[in-house]
Amino acid sequence: MENLLESLALEILSRLDDSETVACCRMASKTFNSVFPGLQFINLQWRLKWYLESRSRVSNSPNCSNLHQNSSRFTPSLKRVFLNLVSNLSALESVRIGVENPPLDVLNADVEDDGDDLHITDEGFVKEWLPRVSGALKLLSLSDFWVQSSRRRSEVLSLISAHCQNLIELELKNAWLAVQNMNAMPMLTSLTLELIRLDDKNLTEFNTCFPNLQVLNLIDVRGLKMPMIHLLNLKTCHWTVTDSPSYICIIAPNLLTLRLECRSPYAIYIEAPLCYNLHLALEHLNGFAVKRFQKLKNVQLECSNIRSLIRKLHRLETVETLTLDIRAGGNSKFNLEVLFCTFPNITSLCFKPRVWSEFEVWCGDIGLKGVKRFCGYLSVIDPLMTFALVDCVLEECFNCVEISLLIHRGVPSNVSKHFITKCMAQWPDLKWGWGIWEEGREDSWIPEEQLPKTLVEEGSDSI
């Protein structure tokens, strides 16, 4: 290891994922340690177990009246470790620093104290290192410890915008952010805010300071009242609205992909004529207005009342791929006539699991003749009823040549095998695809030639 060329050793360190692994390499090799100052990234992720173990040792020690002051005697401070790393690196292009947050089932009492040792969006801490590394910095990611940061408003956005004029990608998580005294960041093209309390109710400062964003992720951003995204260069947007603002507006003339998730806004307005992919997920919607979609091809709808949402979309003739999902507790009967009126030219149709329970047989004279591919997620609780629904879809989508059905992993193998055999015998000319689905897991597909063997040998653990 000590005979490695320094250039090769630096290349090896540069390919590692995190600073913890880099530290192990430095301890194991003088060569790695000597080339470390040339490294261009820091990725320091503080594990929750380290914090909990430290608290446990402090609480069990004598004279532990001040938990925050005593904890440093047992575990090195995240901030001290990070500042030491920064002081040894000369040309940082990427900084990622984060704290693992407790899962939802852990009570705040198990992790909460009055300390700020893990409050990494604290402007006092950021001032210690950001000005020195900001010149070459292109990526910055700060994922705070919500237990400490949720009660402390941070002006870190002002600091970042003042020092990081060459920053391209910014990610901030688990923090309460002020927006006063922010400067414009014209170089920034990618922004992610996740689990953020933002003091910008209408996103006024937001639109002014990030004019050239191309990728935007607003995941669980709170404190919004009548938010409007108005970004001329935006191409991809994922917006999860946790609050229930009365009005949501998106004006993005170059937007290609939009995923919008919200509860029950009173009205949504979208002006994105070039949008190609649209995913809407919401509980209920009163008003929906769109300045005409000119190029929309792929649509996924998830709603408690899917019929009502489809009718609000009016006629979308350019859409080719449609996926429908109904939220838990939803109740909205619909049939293919509803789809035909709104999406007359779809070629690919997908039903998620809950859609089947609300699907009604339609006895119209004109089916969805353009549909060539159909995909369905099945629970097969009642095999006869499920078969009848599949039969209905194929009768009305009479030009369908390719059908893919995914059966829930929990369905007994003998039920699945009987259902599959019956479908393939009923429609032998179709191209079949079979798979397995389960909540929280990736879909798994089974090649047709392997299907009988898989069913017999793997049993209920397969399908």
Side-chain angles (χ1 to χ4, degrees), residues 282-462:
L282 40 83
E283 296 291 338
H284 180 71
L285 181 64
N286 291 305
F288 187 85
V290 174
K291 189 172 183 179
R292 185 174 178 82
F293 289 123
Q294 298 175 1
K295 298 182 179 295
L296 193 61
K297 296 295 183 183
N298 306 309
V299 173
Q300 181 168 342
L301 302 178
E302 179 184 346
C303 186
S304 298
N305 191 326
I306 200 74
R307 183 188 184 99
S308 174
L309 178 58
I310 290 173
R311 290 191 178 278
K312 286 182 171 66
L313 293 175
H314 303 295
R315 190 174 177 89
L316 296 172
E317 296 183 355
T318 60
V319 175
E320 297 177 356
T321 301
L322 176 64
T323 299
L324 299 181
D325 198 0
I326 295 178
R327 290 197 164 187
N331 184 4
S332 55
K333 295 293 183 181
F334 75 101
N335 55 41
L336 292 185
E337 180 182 16
V338 176
L339 302 185
F340 176 73
C341 292
T342 305
F343 306 100
N345 297 316
I346 57 174
T347 60
S348 179
L349 178 62
C350 179
F351 283 0
K352 289 300 183 79
R354 295 189 185 94
V355 175
W356 294 98
S357 62
E358 302 302 318
F359 176 61
E360 291 181 327
V361 174
W362 174 44
C363 299
D365 296 328
I366 303 176
L368 290 171
K369 61 182 180 181
V371 176
K372 305 295 184 182
R373 294 174 299 277
F374 177 81
C375 178
Y377 288 70
L378 307 174
S379 296
V380 198
I381 297 173
D382 184 340
L384 292 177
M385 177 61 71
T386 305
F387 183 85
L389 292 174
V390 173
D391 180 58
C392 172
V393 170
L394 294 178
E395 285 293 325
E396 298 184 17
C397 303
F398 49 80
N399 285 330
C400 187
V401 295
E402 181 178 333
I403 181 167
S404 301
L405 298 180
L406 295 95
I407 302 176
H408 193 274
R409 186 177 295 271
V411 174
S413 61
N414 62 318
V415 175
S416 300
K417 183 178 180 180
H418 177 72
F419 178 79
I420 291 171
T421 302
K422 187 175 180 180
C423 285
M424 296 179 72
Q426 180 72 17
W427 300 284
D429 296 331
L430 290 177
K431 180 180 178 182
W432 288 94
W434 296 98
I436 308 163
W437 72 274
E438 184 177 358
E439 297 88 344
R441 298 179 63 172
E442 290 188 9
D443 297 340
S444 153
W445 293 93
I446 302 174
E448 185 176 344
E449 64 272 12
Q450 297 179 13
L451 186 61
K453 181 179 179 181
T454 302
L455 284 171
V456 172
E457 295 184 358
E458 294 188 8
S460 60
D461 288 336
S462 176

Side-chain angles (χ1 to χ4, degrees), residues 90 95 111 120 174 189 222 256 260 324 350 403 461:
S90 56
V95 171
V111 294
I120 60 175
N174 309 311
T189 59
R222 307 180 183 190
L256 301 178
L260 178 60
L324 299 181
C350 179
I403 181 167
D461 288 336

Side-chain angles (χ1 to χ4, degrees), residues 56-71:
S56 177
R57 288 192 292 267
V58 171
S59 62
N60 292 330
S61 68
N63 303 318
C64 61
S65 57
N66 190 319
L67 183 63
H68 172 50
Q69 292 181 0
N70 283 275
S71 62

